Amino acid sequence: MFASAAQSANTPNWLALITDVNLPEHRGAVFSIANLFNSFGRTVGNLGIGAVLAILSMYLDSPSDYIVTMTILQLPLIPSALCYVIMAKYNVRDIHKVKDTLDKRGKIV
């Protein structure tokens, strides 16, 4: 339940974060890369659950096979969560840099 809650916390905030920490000319590329890897992760997750569950169901009875499968497929979220923790230290600084850059550009025009 904790892993599902942590994963769902990503969705509403990543668009705002991408917008705030990237300059306008880079946002399209960053959105594209983020969407690509998000879609790739969902695809691998869907394929992975079928493959891992098929293998584990030969060795474990239900519901243990589902529990172990879901646990295994949540493990990649640990490095993702660590990246978010590390990134959180720099978000405020990056947002201020983007705002400063945009302010300077606005004064030129």
Side-chain angles (χ1 to χ4, degrees), residues 27-101:
R27 289 178 187 160
V30 174
F31 278 122
S32 296
I33 292 167
N35 282 325
L36 175 68
F37 281 98
N38 190 14
S39 298
F40 179 73
R42 289 174 190 248
T43 302
V44 169
N46 288 335
L47 292 172
I49 194 165
V52 173
L53 186 58
I55 293 168
L56 288 178
S57 64
M58 292 187 288
Y59 302 102
L60 298 172
D61 294 328
S62 187
S64 296
D65 55 350
Y66 284 95
I67 294 169
V68 174
T69 299
M70 295 303 284
T71 302
I72 289 170
L73 292 175
Q74 293 298 317
L75 292 177
L77 293 177
I78 294 171
S80 176
L82 292 174
C83 288
Y84 272 107
V85 169
I86 293 167
M87 189 176 65
K89 289 189 221 179
Y90 302 103
N91 286 342
V92 174
R93 182 196 69 191
D94 291 343
I95 289 169
H96 287 299
K97 283 184 176 181
V98 167
K99 285 183 179 180
D100 289 343
T101 302

